Amino acid sequence: MPQRVCRRHGKDYPCTCAMGNLYRFVEPVVLLLLKQKGHSYGYDLSGELQAHALTDAEIERAALYRTLRHLEANGNVVSEWETDKGGPARRVYRLTAQGERHLEEWAAVLDHVSKSMARFVRQARSSRRRRTVRAAAAG
Amino acid sequence: MPQRVCRRHGKDYPCTCAMGNLYRFVEPVVLLLLKQKGHSYGYDLSGELQAHALTDAEIERAALYRTLRHLEANGNVVSEWETDKGGPARRVYRLTAQGERHLEEWAAVLDHVSKSMARFVRQARSSRRRRTVRAAAAG
DNA sequence: TATGGATAGATGCAGGATACATCTAAAAGA
DNA sequence: TCTTTTAGATGTATCCTGCATCTATCCATA
């Protein structure tokens, strides 16, 4: 039983949402999406965030918009208003060269973290399996 | 060039420390260490945290002590003072049955996140490789 | 024409987690 | 006696998330 029950995934599935306030890795996901799409804007990205998210927790639009402005403030993306497509004006972002490098840094970091997590899972499950073996021998 | 330079790993290695304020996953690492060791106390655990950490950022002792008290408040560990070993008194922790289940939940969550990150890394690097192919064809 | 829905961007605030500094205290060693 | 090691803990600022809320434009339709 998770520490907190998640409304999206229910109480039987131990999801990220139920483990407390974890980092959602919004920045790297946004960088990758912009790389793949060439250019895009917040509302459009928000529709694809879930498919690319690193956790099964939802990435809020509020976090997305703030991340985009933060990336721009740090020179990883640039934006311009697009007003000729109908509907409300869109702030269209694209990666800068520095943003591409920053994405590569994220890939290096997440590659390492991914392997550490896989090792963690093996160890956590192997200690459980040892106990199961003892239980089987005792039973 | 990372957004922030890390003093431990230097500026050429893109480490977690330089990517801003990330989640350090202290709780699952502490749960696993307690599972493996049977019982332990904060100062002892702090020596082994780095070897088991999921990121290359240091896990501060302040975070460790707060995490232990938090785990106890939620019934995942229990503690008792140990005063017969010489030196300052130690607060010795051990997992509860609920703590073992919580570790299994963490393993399920981190298994999923690990695979998502691995997919992220493949995608980030494959889009880079596509560009390299085009560049090679143009060159 | 009015009205609601979809689109689009953004802010405010509370709470969780980290970063860094600092504190207390007992025991061991020089 | 003085310093270091061991051991636990707190204070504050900042970062990130969660949730609510806000403004505004355009479009369909009643």
Side-chain angles (χ1 to χ4, degrees):
Chain A
M1 118 195 36
Q3 298 296 296
R4 307 163 192 209
V5 172
C6 158
R7 283 170 297 172
R8 194 170 328 104
H9 299 98
K11 67 176 170 56
D12 294 329
Y13 176 63
C15 56
T16 313
C17 330
M19 305 312 262
N21 244 22
L22 291 211
Y23 196 83
R24 301 303 183 206
F25 301 98
V26 184
E27 184 173 296
V29 173
V30 167
L31 288 171
L32 176 58
L33 272 172
L34 282 178
K35 171 97 179 185
Q36 291 180 335
K37 296 170 75 75
H39 54 87
S40 186
Y41 55 97
Y43 194 82
D44 177 51
L45 291 171
S46 74
E48 307 186 40
L49 269 189
Q50 219 41 53
H52 289 76
L54 301 187
T55 76
D56 45 14
E58 184 187 0
I59 295 181
E60 308 248 333
R61 278 224 305 277
L64 169 61
Y65 285 119
R66 274 194 261 248
T67 297
L68 283 167
R69 305 307 300 270
H70 177 76
L71 283 169
E72 183 164 35
N74 288 331
N76 292 298
V77 302
V78 289
S79 76
E80 49 189 18
W81 285 103
E82 181 182 84
T83 54
D84 58 343
K85 292 290 198 300
R90 307 163 172 175
R91 193 188 280 276
V92 175
Y93 292 88
R94 71 188 71 242
L95 283 187
T96 62
Q98 182 188 318
E100 302 221 11
R101 287 196 301 272
H102 196 41
L103 173 58
E104 291 172 20
E105 291 164 6
W106 268 115
V109 166
L110 295 182
D111 189 27
H112 173 251
V113 175
S114 168
K115 287 166 180 161
S116 299
M117 284 184 181
R119 174 170 51 83
F120 174 94
V121 172
R122 281 196 305 274
Q123 291 180 352
R125 291 183 172 159
S126 78
S127 36
R128 186 179 56 185
R129 222 174 287 125
R130 274 204 300 277
R131 197 185 42 157
T132 304
V133 168
R134 283 203 298 273
Chain B
M1 117 196 36
Q3 298 294 297
R4 307 164 191 206
V5 173
C6 159
R7 282 169 298 172
R8 194 170 328 104
H9 299 98
K11 65 176 171 58
D12 294 328
Y13 175 65
C15 55
T16 312
C17 330
M19 305 313 262
N21 243 20
L22 291 212
Y23 195 83
R24 302 304 183 206
F25 301 98
V26 184
E27 183 173 295
V29 173
V30 168
L31 287 171
L32 176 58
L33 272 172
L34 283 178
K35 170 98 179 183
Q36 290 180 335
K37 296 172 74 76
H39 54 87
S40 185
Y41 54 98
Y43 194 81
D44 178 50
L45 291 170
S46 75
E48 308 186 40
L49 269 189
Q50 219 43 51
H52 289 77
L54 301 186
T55 75
D56 45 16
E58 186 187 1
I59 294 181
E60 309 247 336
R61 277 225 304 278
L64 169 62
Y65 284 120
R66 274 194 258 249
T67 297
L68 285 167
R69 305 308 301 270
H70 179 75
L71 283 170
E72 183 165 34
N74 288 329
N76 292 299
V77 302
V78 289
S79 75
E80 48 189 19
W81 286 102
E82 181 181 84
T83 54
D84 59 343
K85 293 288 197 301
R90 307 161 173 178
R91 193 189 282 274
V92 176
Y93 293 87
R94 71 188 70 243
L95 283 188
T96 62
Q98 181 187 317
E100 302 219 10
R101 288 196 300 272
H102 196 42
L103 173 57
E104 292 172 19
E105 290 164 7
W106 268 115
V109 166
L110 296 182
D111 189 27
H112 173 252
V113 175
S114 169
K115 288 166 180 160
S116 298
M117 285 184 178
R119 174 170 54 80
F120 174 95
V121 172
R122 282 196 306 275
Q123 291 180 353
R125 291 182 174 161
S126 79
S127 38
R128 186 180 56 187
R129 222 175 287 126
R130 274 205 300 278
R131 198 185 43 160
T132 305
V133 168
R134 281 205 298 275

